[in-house]
Amino acid sequence: MIHSILKRRNIPLYAGLALGAVSAYYATRRSFVQIHSESPSAINPQSFTDLPIKETKFVSHNVKEITLELPADNTLGGKVAYMVLFKHIGENGKPIIRPYTPISEPNALGEAVFTVKAYPEGKMSPYLHSLKVGDKISVKGPIQKYNLEQNQHKKIALLGGGTGITPLFQILEKVANDPNDKTNVQLFFANNTPEDVILKKEIDALVAKKPEQLGVTYFVAKPDDSWKGETGFITKEYLGSHLFKPTEENVKVFVCGPPAFYKAISGDKVSPSDQGELVGALKDLSFTKDHVFKF
């Protein structure tokens, strides 16, 4: 178990063998990340860099976890919350470019991990699912989406649908792994079926680090007999009873999901630089544009 954790988090195996418990591992890991916080970036925002595929594995019937290999002493160079651009050349010879958000920590050395859901009509995701170990993908970035600082907000709500969880996971992970960050974070995560709930084990592990400070509620539209979370959608009525009020001090809501999710919760953004008007459930609950950030 320790070996698999160390491999995923870029800690040398010989260091892990000296640890007597997982708690000791995490203490060492925090120190390790701080030491390497200024490591060079393997990519840059001006041009695309070809990076090899280190590992791929299915985490659900249509979602793959894809790990890119970076030079051993390099990171992706981003700060929470950030994304990168992937590029490949389509069948017509024209470039296809799409944004993706890594789920590995920004300071992770030597690799970067992404979760990619395959859409049958997609231009990028089926291609990414076809890649094998050793194949390369062109990557550009990092591209900063929201520069979240330690204790910047008193309370944060993360409203996510499907693979829109990835930038929200970045935020949750940042707060969970920082012993000095006292931000209260509540994640509301909606999916179609229990099988579609990606990163559940990772999310639950993060919440368990600070159970009085962090929380998560899962929703599925089509539950099975074993489902123990909420059933249906994230509604205005549910948020009205379980979300902090817009009148509270220094609160922020982050939203990410498919178009229908944005429409119901907040309305979509107009462009990367224009958040657009706030509509939907959050508007009805008296939140304003200043309270909300749409990824």
Side-chain angles (χ1 to χ4, degrees):
M1 177 180 176
I2 292 292
H3 174 71
S4 63
I5 294 174
L6 298 174
K7 180 181 177 183
R8 180 178 181 84
R9 297 300 187 179
N10 304 301
I11 306 298
L13 178 58
Y14 66 81
L17 294 176
L19 302 176
V22 173
S23 59
Y25 155 71
Y26 278 114
T28 300
R29 177 172 171 272
R30 285 194 293 270
S31 174
F32 182 85
V33 168
Q34 290 169 359
I35 290 171
H36 294 276
S37 61
E38 299 302 324
S39 297
S41 174
I43 58 176
N44 71 83
Q46 282 74 47
S47 60
F48 282 91
T49 301
D50 290 341
L51 295 176
I53 305 298
K54 181 178 181 179
E55 182 182 1
T56 70
K57 63 179 180 181
F58 276 102
V59 293
S60 77
H61 67 287
N62 61 357
V63 176
K64 264 191 172 182
E65 187 177 275
I66 298 176
T67 303
L68 304 186
E69 184 174 359
L70 314 179
D73 61 344
N74 280 201
T75 71
L76 281 183
K79 295 176 64 178
V80 175
Y82 76 104
M83 67 178 189
V84 302
L85 297 176
F86 285 172
K87 181 182 77 170
H88 81 96
I89 304 303
E91 295 180 356
N92 60 2
K94 295 182 179 180
I96 296 171
I97 300 173
R98 295 291 187 272
Y100 282 89
T101 302
I103 60 168
S104 48
E105 290 187 271
N107 292 325
L109 292 173
E111 68 177 28
V113 183
F114 296 80
T115 54
V116 178
K117 182 175 181 179
Y119 295 92
E121 304 303 321
K123 301 293 185 180
M124 177 64 76
S125 59
Y127 173 78
L128 292 174
H129 271 229
S130 74
L131 295 177
K132 300 177 177 60
V133 173
D135 291 341
K136 292 186 176 182
I137 182 68
S138 296
V139 187
K140 182 178 179 180
I143 299 170
Q144 196 71 34
K145 297 295 290 181
Y146 190 93
N147 188 18
L148 183 66
E149 301 291 348
Q150 182 188 80
N151 296 311
Q152 182 175 346
H153 303 292
K154 198 166 185 179
K155 293 182 179 180
I156 286 176
L158 308 173
L159 305 184
T163 53
I165 187 61
T166 52
L168 309 182
F169 181 83
Q170 274 192 0
I171 293 173
L172 182 67
E173 185 176 49
K174 174 180 171 62
V175 176
N177 289 336
D178 183 348
N180 297 315
D181 197 322
K182 307 305 179 184
T183 310
N184 181 287
V185 183
Q186 297 296 314
L187 169 62
F188 304 87
F189 187 20
N191 285 274
N192 190 37
T193 71
E195 188 179 16
D196 294 320
V197 185
I198 61 173
L199 295 174
K200 188 176 188 302
K201 290 181 179 179
E202 291 85 350
I203 290 169
D204 290 343
L206 292 175
V207 170
K209 290 185 177 184
K210 297 180 178 180
E212 295 182 0
Q213 185 180 329
L214 311 177
V216 58
T217 306
Y218 299 101
F219 299 75
V220 297
K222 302 175 182 178
D224 57 23
D225 292 339
S226 64
W227 179 248
K228 297 178 181 179
E230 297 290 330
T231 299
F233 302 99
I234 301 175
T235 64
K236 175 182 69 176
E237 290 73 22
Y238 188 92
L239 293 177
S241 299
H242 295 83
L243 180 61
F244 50 69
K245 306 303 180 185
T247 52
E248 294 186 47
E249 179 187 358
N250 192 15
V251 295
K252 196 74 175 182
V253 182
F254 294 90
V255 184
C256 192
F261 185 81
Y262 276 117
K263 182 178 180 180
I265 298 296
S266 64
D268 205 349
K269 56 184 181 293
V270 176
S271 69
S273 61
D274 185 350
Q275 285 278 296
E277 293 302 315
L278 183 67
V279 298
L282 293 176
K283 174 69 172 180
D284 293 342
L285 292 171
S286 299
F287 286 89
T288 69
K289 288 178 64 173
D290 291 339
H291 290 120
V292 180
F293 184 85
K294 308 168 190 176
F295 280 106

